[in-house]
Amino acid sequence: MKNKRLAIVLDTRRCIDCKACTVACKAENRVPLGRNNYRNWVDEEALRGAYPNLGQSFTPSQCQHCANPPCAHVCPTHATEVNPDGIVHVVDKKCIGCKYCQTACPYNARYYNEEIGAVDKCTFCAHRVYEGRLPACVETCPTKVRVFGDINDPNSEVSRLLAKYPSRVLKPAQGTKPHLFYLI
Amino acid sequence: MLAILKHRPSSRLWFSLLGIGMIVGAIGVVNVLLKGHGHVYNVSREIPWGILISTYVFLVVSSTGLCLISSLGHVFGIEKFEFFGKRAILLAILTLLCGFGTIAMELNHPLRMALYAVISPNFTSAIWWMGTLYGLYLVLLCGEFYFLMKGMHKGAFTMGMLGFIAAVSAHSNLGAVFGLLEARPYWYGPFLPLYFILSALVSGGAIISLLVYFHHKESGELMPQRYGEFMDTLGRLQALFLMILIFFVIWKIIPGLYGRPPEKYEATMAVLFGPLAFNFWFFEVLIGMLIPVTLLLNRRTRTPLGVMYAGLLSTFGIFFMRYDLVVAGQLVSMREGAADLVGGLLHYAPSLTEVAIVVGAISLCLFLYTLAEHLLPLREEEH
Ligand code: SF4
Ligand code: SF4
């Protein structure tokens, strides 16, 4: 997918911590059971305010498909690769299981999948995307927190959202140039 | 082998201990092969590198240290340091190989590595360079050992020189494996490559004091004056290395506290007052540095026996130093909302299988060395 730059824009104010994304992802990508194994997750921010006026936000997250991905720089065998459209993925058979990418990723986006014998992580559901479908987490989210698309296309919904609302990325100081954008 | 066992009850005990250690290690290895890493290791998604990685670091640092200290003899021409050259290089080869074995148990696909490191190399990866440089270093060590055994001084000098350069490159690069990770502020920066080289000298010196001492103890003869003098020189040198190491340790801590740099501060506190504090203060500081330096600085305790004790204690201390370094760098969660943190930190303690493999690797290394000591003509030529 040339000339594309795929990204997800998240409106976290809509997130109700239902974890449908995590479940859909696990099912779609055959992520094994076990506490270490997941490709995406929902972090709970601290409670705000005092009883009875309380508020809480949630931050769903996953691999950030960094434009400057440390995981790919450190991988000794090029098992971690970046597609022209920005999708960062792992070539299973090249992965030697050194877990260097796991120590290099500032987002803890990776885990070792014993079943496939390689490090695994979110691929934006590349297998679906290349068939013209949406990533499973995006499709399943009941409150439409997540919008997926090409930020190189000015008419895409992600581009329109980013133009309209201010946004932030996680850990910008790491210089990884993440492509998950959180509306603020 | 049988003859060795018949003559010396102490070697019988030594070999049985190592035998038990190797059996324990073998059980660990079989356990992993049958059940898989995920079931028998305590490393996790958040802390992917555990005691096997730190033991690997420990073993290859020992190798580098042995190579560096022994090159003082046959490369830099300090005569006092020449007589143990063969032994040091042999042990450098064995510690390196056992180090490779340990990391192979941590990698999920050591065999794939050999293939894809060659056909799909990534030159920006410090782990790729680690494999390549240590491979080269191993070849040079073997060459050096061969020439030393054949008494070919010129060849040994050339190989020793190249080996010295390879040892410094490979080992500083090992520091870079950690030091290049911007995501891990406790490791990040040029400090680790430098510190790794220095601490290799301490390791090397410590192990050589053990080699020389036990070799003589075991020969049953009185220690010749030449050896006594050597131990004295080595002791002074070791005191110097240890003091520089203490200096490095202090300067590792201060920037971790000053201004509370995010993540680096939490990791430093974990070492000073948190889950790694006992390892740090007791093993690293007291056993590894303060007692040895006291023994070595005091002329009355700088006897061959005292230098040997100092070396033994530092070797223990350095093992913990590696462990604490590897673990501390990963204790701070990469995610603010991560679950199951203990006191704001992630948690790791090695599993029985991990410990078994460590015991096995170290026993195997000592076993091969002792065997070689009996089978190969390592005795130095008298000048
Ligand atoms: S989030 Fe982590 S795994 Fe994903 S591209 Fe960035 S560094 Fe790599
Ligand atoms: S674990 Fe696999 S994908 Fe990660 S750095 Fe090592 S070889 Fe590359």
Side-chain angles (χ1 to χ4, degrees), chain A residues 103-146:
Chain A
T103 57
C105 170
Y107 306 96
N108 192 231
R110 299 174 158 245
Y111 72 100
Y112 192 82
N113 183 329
E114 298 263 339
E115 281 174 18
I116 59 174
V119 161
D120 193 31
K121 64 176 218 32
C122 157
T123 61
F124 276 164
C125 282
H127 58 288
R128 291 168 63 110
V129 170
Y130 294 155
E131 284 175 358
R133 298 158 69 204
L134 287 173
C137 58
V138 175
E139 193 174 83
T140 210
C141 178
T143 54
K144 207 165 182 307
V145 171
R146 298 157 175 269

Side-chain angles (χ1 to χ4, degrees), chain B residues 145-208:
Chain B
F145 185 63
Y146 174 82
F147 286 125
L148 283 175
M149 290 302 281
K150 293 270 164 198
M152 297 159 78
H153 295 289
K154 212 157 171 283
F157 170 79
T158 315
M159 284 290 173
M161 194 67 216
L162 295 173
F164 178 84
I165 296 169
V168 172
S169 328
H171 202 56
S172 53
N173 172 76
L174 179 62
V177 165
F178 301 93
L180 290 178
L181 295 179
E182 206 173 346
R184 308 286 175 166
Y186 187 70
W187 294 336
Y188 183 64
F191 182 86
L192 289 188
L194 300 172
Y195 161 85
F196 266 44
I197 291 297
L198 184 267
S199 62
L201 290 173
V202 178
S203 283
I207 296 177
I208 282 172

Side-chain angles (χ1 to χ4, degrees), chain A residues 41 62-72 80 82 86-90 101-102 104-110 119-122 176-179:
Chain A
W41 61 87
Q62 63 215 55
C63 168
Q64 311 283 314
H65 296 276
C66 306
N68 182 25
C71 58
T80 294
V82 189
I87 291 184
V88 177
H89 68 109
V90 182
C101 51
Q102 280 174 250
C105 170
Y107 306 96
N108 192 231
R110 299 174 158 245
V119 161
D120 193 31
K121 64 176 218 32
C122 157
T176 51
K177 301 194 168 55
H179 275 65

